[in-house]
Amino acid sequence: MSNNLGDYLRALRGKESLRSVSDRIGGRLSHSYISDLEKGLSRRGTPIKPTPEALKALSEAYDVSYEKLMMMAGYIDKSANDDVKQTANSKSDKIETIAAHIDDDVTDEQMDEILNYIDFIKHKHSKKD
Protein backbone atom coordinates (compact mmCIF):
# COMPACT_ATOMS: atom_id res chain seq x y z
CA MET A 1 0.00 0.00 0.00
CA SER A 2 1.32 3.41 -0.83
CA ASN A 3 1.70 5.88 1.99
CA ASN A 4 -0.54 8.20 -0.03
CA LEU A 5 -3.53 5.97 0.66
CA GLY A 6 -2.80 5.89 4.38
CA ASP A 7 -2.41 9.67 4.48
CA TYR A 8 -5.61 10.09 2.51
CA LEU A 9 -7.55 7.78 4.84
CA ARG A 10 -6.20 9.65 7.86
CA ALA A 11 -7.24 13.00 6.36
CA LEU A 12 -10.72 11.68 5.63
CA ARG A 13 -11.09 10.49 9.21
CA GLY A 14 -10.07 13.87 10.59
CA LYS A 15 -10.69 14.11 14.33
CA GLU A 16 -13.08 11.14 14.39
CA SER A 17 -11.82 8.27 16.50
CA LEU A 18 -10.81 4.96 14.95
CA ARG A 19 -13.38 3.19 17.13
CA SER A 20 -16.11 5.52 15.90
CA VAL A 21 -15.29 4.73 12.26
CA SER A 22 -15.28 1.01 13.05
CA ASP A 23 -18.64 1.32 14.80
CA ARG A 24 -20.12 3.34 11.93
CA ILE A 25 -19.36 0.55 9.47
CA GLY A 26 -20.85 -2.07 11.74
CA GLY A 27 -17.53 -3.41 12.97
CA ARG A 28 -16.65 -4.82 9.55
CA LEU A 29 -13.14 -3.43 10.19
CA SER A 30 -11.52 -3.21 13.60
CA HIS A 31 -10.17 0.10 14.80
CA SER A 32 -6.67 -1.42 14.98
CA TYR A 33 -6.89 -2.59 11.34
CA ILE A 34 -7.98 0.90 10.24
CA SER A 35 -5.00 2.31 12.16
CA ASP A 36 -2.67 -0.15 10.41
CA LEU A 37 -4.05 0.92 7.03
CA GLU A 38 -3.46 4.58 7.83
CA LYS A 39 0.14 3.80 8.80
CA GLY A 40 0.65 1.46 5.85
CA LEU A 41 2.17 -1.12 8.20
CA SER A 42 0.86 -4.05 10.18
CA ARG A 43 1.49 -4.22 13.91
CA ARG A 44 4.44 -6.50 13.04
CA GLY A 45 5.95 -3.70 10.98
CA THR A 46 5.35 -5.29 7.59
CA PRO A 47 3.71 -3.41 4.71
CA ILE A 48 -0.04 -3.90 4.61
CA LYS A 49 -2.36 -3.78 1.63
CA PRO A 50 -6.07 -3.40 2.33
CA THR A 51 -8.47 -5.93 0.89
CA PRO A 52 -11.03 -4.75 -1.66
CA GLU A 53 -13.70 -5.47 0.98
CA ALA A 54 -11.94 -3.17 3.45
CA LEU A 55 -11.74 -0.45 0.82
CA LYS A 56 -15.45 -0.85 0.10
CA ALA A 57 -16.28 -0.44 3.78
CA LEU A 58 -14.06 2.64 4.03
CA SER A 59 -15.53 4.17 0.88
CA GLU A 60 -18.96 3.86 2.48
CA ALA A 61 -17.78 5.18 5.85
CA TYR A 62 -16.17 8.26 4.34
CA ASP A 63 -18.57 8.64 1.39
CA VAL A 64 -15.73 8.62 -1.14
CA SER A 65 -15.22 6.82 -4.43
CA TYR A 66 -14.52 3.11 -4.06
CA GLU A 67 -12.77 3.25 -7.43
CA LYS A 68 -10.42 5.97 -6.17
CA LEU A 69 -9.48 3.91 -3.12
CA MET A 70 -8.94 0.85 -5.32
CA MET A 71 -6.63 2.92 -7.57
CA MET A 72 -4.71 4.30 -4.61
CA ALA A 73 -4.23 0.77 -3.26
CA GLY A 74 -2.93 -0.42 -6.63
CA TYR A 75 -5.82 -2.71 -7.58
CA ILE A 76 -6.84 -0.59 -10.56
CA ASP A 77 -4.39 0.84 -13.06
CA LYS A 78 -4.97 4.58 -13.32
CA SER A 79 -4.18 4.62 -17.03
CA ALA A 80 -6.90 2.02 -17.64
CA ASN A 81 -9.59 4.62 -16.90
CA ASP A 82 -10.77 6.80 -19.72
CA ASP A 83 -10.01 10.54 -19.69
CA VAL A 84 -13.67 11.54 -19.44
CA LYS A 85 -14.13 9.60 -16.24
CA GLN A 86 -10.95 11.02 -14.72
CA THR A 87 -11.97 14.57 -15.60
CA ALA A 88 -15.40 14.05 -14.07
CA ASN A 89 -13.83 12.72 -10.87
CA SER A 90 -11.13 15.36 -10.61
CA LYS A 91 -13.49 18.11 -9.41
CA SER A 92 -15.13 15.85 -6.84
CA ASP A 93 -11.69 14.65 -5.69
CA LYS A 94 -10.64 18.26 -5.14
CA ILE A 95 -13.82 18.97 -3.20
CA GLU A 96 -13.12 15.91 -1.02
CA THR A 97 -9.58 17.12 -0.41
CA ILE A 98 -10.76 20.57 0.64
CA ALA A 99 -13.43 19.09 2.90
CA ALA A 100 -10.92 16.72 4.50
CA HIS A 101 -8.82 19.71 5.59
CA ILE A 102 -11.70 21.41 7.38
CA ASP A 103 -12.21 19.82 10.77
CA ASP A 104 -13.81 20.56 14.12
CA ASP A 105 -10.94 22.89 15.06
CA VAL A 106 -12.02 25.46 12.46
CA THR A 107 -13.67 28.40 14.18
CA ASP A 108 -16.71 30.17 12.77
CA GLU A 109 -14.47 33.12 11.93
CA GLN A 110 -12.02 30.89 10.04
CA MET A 111 -14.88 29.20 8.19
CA ASP A 112 -16.19 32.62 7.13
CA GLU A 113 -12.70 33.54 5.89
CA ILE A 114 -12.47 30.30 3.89
CA LEU A 115 -15.86 30.91 2.29
CA ASN A 116 -14.96 34.53 1.53
CA TYR A 117 -11.73 33.39 -0.11
CA ILE A 118 -13.61 30.91 -2.25
CA ASP A 119 -15.99 33.68 -3.35
CA PHE A 120 -13.00 35.95 -4.06
CA ILE A 121 -11.35 33.32 -6.28
CA LYS A 122 -14.60 32.55 -8.11
CA HIS A 123 -15.26 36.25 -8.81
CA LYS A 124 -11.65 36.91 -9.76
CA HIS A 125 -11.77 34.21 -12.42
CA SER A 126 -15.27 35.08 -13.65
CA LYS A 127 -14.08 38.64 -14.44
CA LYS A 128 -11.28 37.26 -16.67
CA ASP A 129 -13.69 35.11 -18.70
Side-chain angles (χ1 to χ4, degrees):
M1 177 178 98
S2 72
N3 196 24
N4 290 338
L5 176 59
D7 292 342
Y8 182 66
L9 293 174
R10 174 66 183 99
L12 289 172
R13 184 169 59 83
K15 298 274 183 188
E16 185 177 4
S17 74
L18 293 162
R19 287 183 193 273
S20 174
V21 173
S22 178
D23 290 345
R24 247 184 337 111
I25 55 178
R28 289 185 283 170
L29 304 176
S30 71
H31 68 279
S32 58
Y33 181 67
I34 297 169
S35 175
D36 290 349
L37 294 178
E38 289 179 1
K39 294 173 189 168
L41 298 171
S42 72
R43 280 165 261 148
R44 289 179 244 144
T46 58
I48 186 171
K49 183 173 182 173
T51 64
E53 294 80 14
L55 295 173
K56 181 67 175 164
L58 291 168
S59 75
E60 293 167 5
Y62 298 131
D63 194 27
V64 296
S65 164
Y66 174 60
E67 183 178 90
K68 177 176 180 163
L69 296 181
M70 290 288 284
M71 272 192 255
M72 292 181 82
Y75 286 106
I76 298 174
D77 183 8
K78 233 179 184 175
S79 63
N81 291 319
D82 60 23
D83 291 343
V84 175
K85 198 169 202 178
Q86 286 181 347
T87 302
N89 286 335
S90 67
K91 185 173 183 179
S92 64
D93 290 346
K94 290 175 185 175
I95 290 169
E96 288 174 15
T97 301
I98 291 168
H101 284 86
I102 299 174
D103 54 31
D104 295 337
D105 289 342
V106 174
T107 65
D108 288 339
E109 183 179 309
Q110 290 170 328
M111 183 61 75
D112 289 340
E113 286 182 42
I114 292 166
L115 294 172
N116 287 337
Y117 185 71
I118 291 169
D119 284 340
F120 167 75
I121 294 297
K122 287 170 61 177
H123 291 301
K124 176 180 159 186
H125 289 283
S126 68
K127 290 178 184 177
K128 289 181 180 179
D129 296 339

